[in-house]
Amino acid sequence: MYSSSYNPGDQNEWHGAIVIVTKRGSNKLKVTPKPNESYSFLTPKTFTVETGAFFGENTQDIASLSGSLEVFFHYYGSNQNLSISTDAQSETDVRFDFDVVNQ
């Protein structure tokens, strides 16, 4: 997980970080950094998604809606890779990038 440096000298990269993805209705997800960790201050985001075969044939992929301002979210069903990049929507938001690549 990575977050652009918000204060010089502060930690802004975490290996082995965990992001919790929960369903919030029929077409919404919420991404939340794991509680009680050094990166837990990063801002959770709730956003609208759609499912389909976006990244290959016969796959079950999940993606944030095109034009989403709060987050870029792609789950690749074929290899179960996940890519998340959040954007600050207010001055108090702390954005983050999170990628999981299955070997």
Side-chain angles (χ1 to χ4, degrees), residues 41-43 88-95:
F41 65 91
L42 300 171
T43 306
Q89 299 298 298
S90 73
E91 285 189 27
T92 59
D93 281 2
V94 181
R95 63 166 308 282

Side-chain angles (χ1 to χ4, degrees), residues 27 29 48-66 72-79 81:
N27 65 343
L29 293 179
T48 304
V49 296
E50 57 187 342
T51 61
F54 305 122
F55 313 116
E57 293 182 32
N58 301 317
T59 63
Q60 186 62 30
D61 304 315
I62 304 171
S64 52
L65 289 181
S66 180
F72 169 87
F73 179 96
H74 281 172
Y75 171 77
Y76 301 84
S78 60
N79 55 17
N81 290 345

Side-chain angles (χ1 to χ4, degrees), residues 8-63:
D10 285 352
Q11 181 178 3
N12 67 345
E13 190 169 347
W14 301 267
H15 297 279
I18 296 174
V19 171
I20 300 165
V21 180
T22 53
K23 189 172 181 179
R24 295 286 187 203
S26 62
N27 65 343
K28 290 194 180 289
L29 293 179
K30 182 177 183 178
V31 292
T32 307
K34 184 179 177 186
N36 303 314
E37 298 291 340
S38 61
Y39 51 84
S40 297
F41 65 91
L42 300 171
T43 306
K45 293 290 181 171
T46 301
F47 53 96
T48 304
V49 296
E50 57 187 342
T51 61
F54 305 122
F55 313 116
E57 293 182 32
N58 301 317
T59 63
Q60 186 62 30
D61 304 315
I62 304 171

